Amino acid sequence: MRSGKLKTRRYKVRRSGRGWVILLALGLLLLAGAYFFRSGQDLLLMEPTPTLSPQERSGDERTLTLPGQTWYALQLGVFDTENSARQLAERFMSRGAGGYVTNDSPYRVLAAAYETRADAQAVLSQLKALHGVEAYVHEMHTDEIVVKVSGQAAQLTALEDAYDTLSQTADYLSSLSQGLDQHTMEEESIRAALRSQKNTLSALEERLQKLFGENAHAAVKEVRQMLSALSDGLTEAASAQGEVLLGARIKHCQLLCIHRLGAYAALLAK
């Protein structure tokens, strides 16, 4: 009898131990999943589109990357209220500054963005010496974001193309802005380049709309909104009257692109 009771007790202890091991393993898996989700490494599942060809409908899984970026913007002021910030922005846009206002408090008024701090500091010094403008260098940094996506091949290709185009747009607009400011590009060629870039962005937005529809993942909807906002901004820039306002609108679009990409990266990293 004692031997049987002893065996029974040992059996119960072993069973309990295995249960704790399983629970511990599940807990570790959940923690690992939470980590990857916060790091932007989660798998985004895209809803299928029934109207695609068999080749386009084939399932696929890819890793998409938004490269990290660092820009140095000239900050003209910081305000608690958006209205005050926009009043200052409008005054400076008439003088060729981007006049971009960030959409969260505190509201920053930004004039232009440069690839290096030295370039931003040089322009800042000129503004102060020649025009008496007080400004500060504001660093705009976006961490690299890597996203795993799963869906139909055509969907993932369109999203990948959108990522590539958006990550290059700020650089492209910077080159146009410098070409205008330094008079190394003709004004009409710059306007033509803006219209061409606008067409590219609009085509990408329409492509995403067709492939993903209205029930798209939040990450796709935000990309579409960025493409649409930049398309509208480039349309306005290309039709701006005079060289000064043209330069201001280009700088504004560049700052819009940098700021929205930073917000998008933060969204994916949550």
Side-chain angles (χ1 to χ4, degrees), residues 27-43:
L28 290 173
L29 286 173
L30 289 173
L31 287 173
Y35 170 78
F36 285 119
F37 181 76
R38 289 195 301 269
S39 301
Q41 302 291 330
D42 56 308
L43 185 65

Side-chain angles (χ1 to χ4, degrees), residues 83-246:
N83 185 54
S84 298
R86 295 208 174 276
Q87 288 179 6
L88 180 66
E90 289 175 6
R91 291 204 302 269
F92 272 95
M93 284 193 75
S94 64
R95 300 167 65 178
Y100 180 79
V101 178
T102 58
N103 61 350
D104 48 3
S105 182
Y107 299 95
R108 302 179 187 273
V109 181
L110 306 176
Y114 302 90
E115 293 184 21
T116 68
R117 184 178 292 274
D119 288 342
Q121 191 65 48
V123 176
L124 186 152
S125 299
Q126 291 179 4
L127 288 175
K128 186 174 182 179
L130 300 177
H131 305 286
V133 175
E134 291 288 346
Y136 302 89
V137 176
H138 172 63
E139 182 176 317
M140 304 175 74
H141 177 73
T142 301
D143 291 328
E144 179 183 89
I145 291 295
V146 179
V147 184
K148 293 180 181 179
V149 291
S150 177
Q152 295 172 327
Q155 291 178 316
L156 303 191
T157 298
L159 188 58
E160 188 172 26
D161 290 345
Y163 273 24
D164 289 341
T165 300
L166 286 170
S167 67
Q168 297 167 15
T169 295
D171 283 325
Y172 185 61
L173 293 175
S174 177
S175 67
L176 295 181
S177 179
Q178 292 179 32
L180 183 66
D181 292 344
Q182 299 170 8
H183 303 288
T184 57
M185 295 181 66
E186 295 292 333
E187 185 177 324
E188 281 310 308
S189 66
I190 291 175
R191 294 181 188 275
L194 291 173
R195 288 190 287 268
S196 176
Q197 185 70 3
K198 181 267 178 191
N199 291 337
T200 298
L201 297 175
S202 294
L204 281 170
E205 198 277 330
E206 292 175 4
R207 191 170 153 202
L208 291 176
Q209 165 65 22
K210 177 183 177 182
L211 290 171
F212 290 94
E214 294 301 327
N215 296 323
H217 191 283
V220 178
K221 288 182 178 179
E222 181 61 27
V223 170
R224 284 179 47 202
Q225 290 173 6
M226 277 194 287
L227 292 169
S228 179
L230 283 169
S231 295
D232 292 342
L234 291 176
T235 297
E236 192 171 0
S239 60
Q241 297 297 316
E243 184 177 312
V244 173
L245 190 54
L246 171 62

